[in-house]
């Protein structure tokens, strides 16, 4: 046991510092003065041209933007260390009572004179520059290296007690790192299931969504280790908006694949709506948020027709998608740091299950096969269906799947293309449309329709006949009539 009082004081001091860091990471540091600062924008540096502004709403369109304010330091807090924190798409220089205390890059009146600064910077105010009472603070800003117009180039300017910038950054992205573990674990599990053949190609869209979400999270948290200058920070933010759009469009395409057949049209319309939202909304974080909201509303719109048909999957998905859009709108940009990753991962899993389990709550019942009739075996992922061709009324193509419609009203989904299924069947099956093939034994008649000819099958089923296939179908039906 060590009774040295010096050793005890060192241990106590180390414990206090560790506790202070833990408190800083969890609840942040106190900040005074930022709520009461009145900023002014001065054109050309002359006071007669100054006007009151809110820094977050200026556009930095001048050759050199000059912001000024007065910080009142109470006598009882005089001597406490202060810092000026700036998050902006700009180079900056800070002057305290007329004396330059630090630069972030080098602001200039033209592009050639400016050296790009970091997006986030914290400049300590020298204690000798601080005086009790009023202190005038002047900040010079320029952003000639912006390669894309930005609606709100200034995100935050704060003056107050010195903060640990690294602790602030870690605290900001702590939840992002925590929630990013969810899509990463789901992606790993999905890859394992696909490698052992438990799920087929239906899981590929879900795999793509999760991969894009993880890539987005890694770019988001890269700020922990990379000190971005503001032009590169703009590139980072634009890539995040692009990945949000990719994730949203994948989810919309995924939903339309499950609930409808107009996938390309829906995805294109959603992409155009995202572009319009980005043109209307100001601020890069707000644009990412708007893109996510458009995607969720589009997913809900795709699910609504199926919900009207009492599809239980769509009935559950539509309100959840609307709720996520509303939640993102209410929470604001902070939603992107944590809620987005959970929501995107959850949405991809939900849509993936809907695709894998489609066409809905239909129990797999073995098809009764006459002993005298040969059967055909068709695969459905790791399972196989053994079915008699005579029980099939028609076949329907659905991307990489094929849906078999039987004479007892059942729908059997197989993970094979329509072309691959037809190759296993007899000549009784004839393709009459790009998306349909029929069992000629179930054909009752062909007749003229509004947009071409129609084929009526047993059970009251009516299907369109494509122009390319009409002549071949007529020749086959005439041959069947002659042989009868």
């Amino acid at each position: 046991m060590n009774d040295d009082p010096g050793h005890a004081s060192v241990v106590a001091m180390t414990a206090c510092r560790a506790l202070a860091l833990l408190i800083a990471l969890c609840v942040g540091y106190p900040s005074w003065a930022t709520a009461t600062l009145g900023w002014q924008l001065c054109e050309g540096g002359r006071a007669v041209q100054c006007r009151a502004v809110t820094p977050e709403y200026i556009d930095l369109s001048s050759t050199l933007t000059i912001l000024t304010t007065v910080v009142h330091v109470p006598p009882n807090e005089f001597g406490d260390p202060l810092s000026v924190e700036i998050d902006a798409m700009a180079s900056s220089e800070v002057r305290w009572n007329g004396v330059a205390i630090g630069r972030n890059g080098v602001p200039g009146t033209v592009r050639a004179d400016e050296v790009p600064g970091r997006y986030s910077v914290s400049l300590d105010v020298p204690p000798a520059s601080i005086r009790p009472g009023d202190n005038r603070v002047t900040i010079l800003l320029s952003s000639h290296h912006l390669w894309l117009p930005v609606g709100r180039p200034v995100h935050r300017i704060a003056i107050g007690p010195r903060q640990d910038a690294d602790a602030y950054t870690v605290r900001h992205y702590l939840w992002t790192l925590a929630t990013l573990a969810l899509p990463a674990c789901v992606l790993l599990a999905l890859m394992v299931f696909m490698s052992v053949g438990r799920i087929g190609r239906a899981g590929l869209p879900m795999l793509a969504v999760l991969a894009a979400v993880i890539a987005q999270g890694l770019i988001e948290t890269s700020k922990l280790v990379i000190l971005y200058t503001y032009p590169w920070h703009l590139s980072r933010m634009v890539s995040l908006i692009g990945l949000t759009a990719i994730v949203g469009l994948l989810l919309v395409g995924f939903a339309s694949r499950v609930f409808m057949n107009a996938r390309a049209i829906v995805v294109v319309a959603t992409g155009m709506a995202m572009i319009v939202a980005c043109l209307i909304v100001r601020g890069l974080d707000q644009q990412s948020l708007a893109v996510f909201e458009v995607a969720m509303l589009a997913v809900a719109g795709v699910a609504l027709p199926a919900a009207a048909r009492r599809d239980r999957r769509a009935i559950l998905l539509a309100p959840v998608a609307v709720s996520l859009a509303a939640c993102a709108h209410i929470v604001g940009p902070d939603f992107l740091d944590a809620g987005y990753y959970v929501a995107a991962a959850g949405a991809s899993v939900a849509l993936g299950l809907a695709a894998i389990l489609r066409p809905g709550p239909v129990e797999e019942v073995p098809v009764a096969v006459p002993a005298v009739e040969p059967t055909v075996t068709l695969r459905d992922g790791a399972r196989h269906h053994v079915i008699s061709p005579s029980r099939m009324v028609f076949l329907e193509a659905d991307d990489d799947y094929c849906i078999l419609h039987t004479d007892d009203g059942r729908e059997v989904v197989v993970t094979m293309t329509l072309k691959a299924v037809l190759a296993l069947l007899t000549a009784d099956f004839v393709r009459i449309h790009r998306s349909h093939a029929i069992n000629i034994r179930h054909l009752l008649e062909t007749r003229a329709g509004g947009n071409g000819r129609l084929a009526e099958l047993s059970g009251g089923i009516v299907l369109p006949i494509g122009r390319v296939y009409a002549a071949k179908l007529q020749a086959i039906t005439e041959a069947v009539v002659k042989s009868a």
Side-chain angles (χ1 to χ4, degrees), residues 28-333:
Y29 291 87
S31 178
W32 55 270
T34 55
T36 58
L37 290 180
W39 289 95
Q40 288 191 321
L41 175 65
C42 299
E43 300 292 343
R46 294 189 296 175
V48 292
Q49 295 181 345
C50 293
R51 56 186 174 87
V53 295
T54 300
E56 289 77 12
Y57 291 94
I58 61 176
D59 56 12
L60 301 183
S61 58
S62 302
T63 56
L64 186 65
T65 300
I66 302 176
L67 292 173
T68 182
T69 190
V70 173
V71 176
H72 182 79
V73 180
N76 60 329
E77 297 188 22
F78 176 66
D80 291 346
L82 299 178
S83 67
V84 180
E85 298 177 7
I86 303 173
D87 294 337
M89 298 281 190
S91 301
S92 57
E93 178 180 311
V94 179
R95 297 175 181 174
W96 191 279
N97 292 324
V99 179
I101 64 169
R103 281 179 172 178
N104 177 34
V106 178
T109 55
V110 295
R111 180 183 175 92
D113 295 337
E114 179 193 316
V115 177
R118 299 198 304 269
Y119 173 75
S120 298
V121 67
S122 178
L123 300 175
D124 292 336
V125 182
S129 301
I130 305 172
R131 60 192 180 203
D134 292 343
N135 294 258
R136 179 161 293 277
V137 181
T138 303
I139 300 178
L140 283 65
L141 300 164
S142 67
S143 56
H144 301 297
H145 286 79
L146 279 181
W147 52 270
L148 186 71
V150 178
R152 291 183 180 178
V154 178
H155 179 69
R156 185 179 72 106
I157 297 179
I159 303 174
R162 182 186 299 163
Q163 298 190 24
D164 186 338
D166 293 335
Y168 173 81
T169 303
V170 171
R171 184 174 67 251
H172 184 75
Y173 290 112
L174 198 58
W175 282 111
T176 304
L177 290 170
T179 54
L180 196 59
L182 174 63
C185 291
V186 175
L187 178 64
L188 181 61
L190 181 64
M191 294 175 65
V192 171
F193 284 135
M194 293 187 71
S195 65
V196 298
R198 296 295 300 274
I199 57 176
R201 298 177 64 181
L204 289 177
M206 182 166 45
L207 190 72
V209 171
L210 292 170
V213 168
I214 293 172
Q216 187 172 357
L218 294 176
I219 294 175
E220 177 76 33
T221 57
S222 64
K223 195 177 176 183
L224 290 169
V225 294
I226 300 176
L227 299 177
Y228 288 99
T229 59
Y230 76 83
W232 282 104
H233 179 77
L234 177 58
S235 301
R236 169 178 171 267
M237 294 302 297
V238 170
S239 67
L240 291 176
I241 295 174
L243 284 170
T244 304
I246 290 173
V247 170
L249 293 175
L250 285 171
L251 290 174
V252 172
F254 208 176
S256 61
R257 177 178 181 176
V258 174
F259 298 112
M260 58 192 305
N261 293 322
R263 179 170 59 180
I265 297 175
V266 174
V267 171
V268 170
T270 304
M272 294 178 64
M274 289 177 175
I275 294 174
V276 172
C278 289
L279 294 175
I280 295 174
V281 177
R282 297 185 64 188
L284 298 174
D285 283 338
Q286 289 77 6
Q287 288 172 345
S288 286
L289 203 63
V291 166
F292 177 76
E293 292 172 13
V294 168
M296 289 298 98
L297 292 176
V299 169
V302 168
L304 281 177
R309 299 193 300 267
R310 298 183 179 181
D311 187 319
R312 286 182 292 180
R313 301 165 302 169
I315 292 173
L316 178 62
L317 179 63
V320 170
V322 173
S323 299
L324 286 174
C327 179
H329 185 76
I330 293 171
V331 175

